[in-house]
Amino acid sequence: MTTTRQDCEVLDAEDSLRELRHQFELPEGLIYLDGNSLGVLPRETAARVQQVLAQEWGRDLIKSWNTAGWIHLPGRIGDKIARLIGAWPGECVVADSTSLNLYKVLAAALQMVARDASPQRRTIVSERSNFPTDLYIAESLARQHGFELKLIAAVEELPAALNDSTAVLMLTQVNYRTGYMHDMAAVTAAAHAAGALTVWDLAHSAGAIPVDLNAAQADFAIGCGYKYLNGGPGAPAFVWVNPRHADRFWQPLSGWLGHAAPFQFTPDYQPAPGIQRYICGTPPILSMAALECGVDTVLAAEPLGGMAALRRKSVALCECFIELAEERCGVLGVRLASPRDAARRGSQVCLSLEAPLHEAGYAVMQALIARGVIGDFRAGDPARLEVLPHILRFGFTPLYVGFADVFDAVEHLHAVLTTEEWRRPEFNKQGAVT
Ligand SMILES: *Cc1c(COP(=O)(O)O)cnc(C)c1O
């Protein structure tokens, strides 16, 4: 036994980010390892939303678009998120959902290629294991605009997939299943060398790992508000466009709040300069208020070392989890399904179960959840479990997860497997959301 619970308690006591945990309404005794799917409720959020309800909406009504600055929320929160992703003020806005923002930027990228590049650039390259909504949106746009979606099965195929027929490389920086993390700067450089544009999905990056979009000279990026940014279920998403492209085309959802002068109510569309044109319609103010509280919980780390410090803790938590899971549960058939190299891994660790436990993953996760250890389960490909196994996914949000939590989570996993508690019928019933 290398790491004891006492060692973990010492690590927690020495953790300079420990105080950030008090920003959250984390239920007592719960070990929450699913901030990669839905971040925890910040303490500030209820009071802030209540203020918007009671005062800004309740009393001030429509005046609040000006007096409470509602109209500036997409840009104001966008500027805050910009600090987490290597962007400058005025380069990022909050709007719509991740899926919708992907639609906007991918359509804009295809439009740019159609206008500027040679006509043989007809493929959108992505990964088969990319998040389904990304692939579905790309599939739809490819059909509409006469492009072909080319999916690589493994990261190693990427260099060969980029060539003079590539229009756009569309990747999620941190893979939602495995946690594999692309080197954004290197991959962007390779795409540019092949003459392609890049679209980065930062759903599992923003607030989780340091991102530097401008240093990487990325072209487009989008991301999610309800994961590591703690914005609440269905929180609005964000969109960033490199300033060198921002004014060059219309995004396809040319709504009135992306107009240069929305309150002149002209019958023709004149896009606002820069990123503002990526706003479509009226922002959801209650959700925006909640999202801002969530983003503020991440910015609260700035005086303590910011994303670099959060990343150091995240890596340490993940390493601790891997070490303990392998040591305690390796003989029980638990295998690491994420990259072992921390430099290639985001803020999550996935485990798979060897035969004869292949099919037990869902039930094992249900049993863990019943014990107060919340992760999630992602089904693999039943026909190719060696390539795409079922996985137990554990996200480590350094804002509120500690080392003792990691230790306890592994002990619970060990108990679920050794007692075979997961065989209980109630853990084998599938809900609508896994
Ligand atoms: C979570 C996630 C999304 C979510 O998209 P929604 O439009 O918010 O449902 C999109 N892409 C990736 C890679 C994700 O992980």
Side-chain angles (χ1 to χ4, degrees):
M1 192 78 164
T2 38
T3 303
T4 63
R5 192 173 200 283
Q6 208 180 359
D7 294 334
C8 289
E9 288 164 9
V10 170
L11 289 171
D12 282 334
E14 290 171 346
D15 172 15
S16 60
L17 303 178
R18 184 72 178 167
E19 64 190 77
L20 295 172
R21 185 182 174 106
H22 303 304
Q23 302 183 97
F24 297 93
E25 297 281 355
L26 206 50
E28 194 54 42
L30 195 72
I31 301 176
Y32 192 71
L33 305 179
D34 216 357
N36 51 319
S37 258
L38 177 64
V40 169
L41 171 65
R43 279 198 206 285
E44 281 298 316
T45 305
R48 173 72 188 120
V49 172
Q50 183 56 33
Q51 180 193 18
V52 176
L53 283 171
Q55 181 65 40
E56 297 179 9
W57 180 18
R59 298 199 176 276
D60 301 340
L61 283 160
I62 199 156
K63 289 181 286 180
S64 287
W65 284 104
N66 289 315
T67 56
W70 285 353
I71 197 67
H72 301 302
L73 278 177
R76 182 168 98 200
I77 307 172
D79 285 351
K80 289 186 176 187
I81 294 172
R83 280 149 60 182
L84 303 172
I85 57 174
W88 294 104
E91 291 181 1
C92 178
V93 287
V94 168
D96 303 314
S97 65
T98 308
S99 303
L100 274 170
N101 287 333
L102 178 62
Y103 182 88
K104 297 179 213 168
V105 299
L106 184 55
L110 296 178
Q111 208 178 303
M112 275 175 64
V113 172
R115 200 176 59 192
D116 301 347
S118 49
Q120 84 263 18
R121 293 198 177 271
R122 299 315 292 173
T123 58
I124 304 166
V125 172
S126 192
E127 291 179 279
R128 183 170 296 281
S129 63
N130 199 346
F131 191 75
T133 205
D134 298 50
L135 299 180
Y136 303 160
I137 295 278
E139 188 179 342
S140 166
L141 280 169
R143 277 165 168 268
Q144 286 172 53
H145 298 281
F147 284 78
E148 187 201 340
L149 180 59
K150 190 161 116 188
L151 300 180
I152 57 169
V155 178
E156 295 71 37
E157 296 171 20
L158 191 53
L162 296 172
N163 52 46
D164 59 11
S165 72
T166 313
V168 176
L169 173 64
M170 179 192 81
L171 291 174
T172 298
Q173 189 189 9
V174 176
N175 188 282
Y176 81 105
R177 284 184 60 88
T178 62
Y180 179 88
M181 179 171 70
H182 287 285
D183 177 339
M184 180 186 283
V187 172
T188 300
H192 287 171
L197 293 168
T198 53
V199 171
W200 288 100
D201 188 331
L202 305 180
H204 296 275
S205 308
I209 58 168
V211 177
D212 199 336
L213 288 168
N214 277 310
Q217 297 185 40
D219 299 290
F220 301 88
I222 49 147
C224 187
Y226 52 80
K227 293 172 180 164
Y228 292 95
L229 297 181
N230 308 313
F238 66 88
V239 50
W240 172 87
V241 177
N242 192 307
R244 70 175 179 266
H245 303 316
D247 286 324
R248 296 183 58 207
F249 46 81
W250 293 11
Q251 59 99 349
L253 303 179
S254 47
W256 74 301
L257 285 183
H259 191 280
F263 290 90
Q264 289 182 1
F265 298 101
T266 60
D268 62 318
Y269 181 70
Q270 284 297 331
I275 195 67
Q276 282 293 117
R277 69 183 60 186
Y278 279 82
I279 298 169
C280 179
T282 307
I285 297 303
L286 295 173
S287 301
M288 288 272 177
L291 173 61
E292 188 166 30
C293 294
V295 174
D296 285 343
T297 63
V298 188
L299 293 179
E302 280 184 341
L304 303 168
M307 283 312 308
L310 288 170
R311 173 66 177 163
R312 275 195 298 279
K313 181 174 171 189
S314 150
V315 169
L317 289 167
C318 291
E319 297 284 335
C320 180
F321 182 77
I322 293 170
E323 179 201 312
L324 288 169
E326 291 190 324
E327 195 175 280
R328 294 284 284 152
C329 306
V331 290
L332 303 171
V334 169
R335 295 289 172 266
L336 178 66
S338 292
R340 191 170 291 279
D341 176 7
R344 293 275 63 83
R345 194 176 61 227
S347 202
Q348 72 186 55
V349 175
C350 300
L351 303 176
S352 61
L353 299 173
E354 289 238 298
L357 290 177
H358 262 151
E359 296 302 327
Y362 178 79
V364 168
M365 182 52 77
Q366 292 308 305
L368 278 174
I369 292 170
R371 284 170 165 265
V373 180
I374 316 274
D376 58 25
F377 169 79
R378 289 291 173 263
D381 181 347
R384 302 182 308 144
L385 282 180
E386 343 60 70
V387 190
L388 203 62
H390 302 312
I391 55 167
L392 307 177
R393 192 171 69 151
F394 301 92
F396 296 89
T397 304
L399 288 173
Y400 49 74
V401 175
F403 292 90
D405 295 329
V406 167
F407 187 92
D408 294 344
V410 173
E411 287 308 298
H412 281 294
L413 177 60
H414 182 262
V416 164
L417 292 171
T418 49
T419 62
E420 301 204 347
E421 193 171 294
W422 58 271
R423 290 190 188 275
R424 300 220 300 250
E426 69 265 34
F427 298 141
N428 288 273
K429 282 201 254 350
Q430 198 119 343
V433 175
T434 63

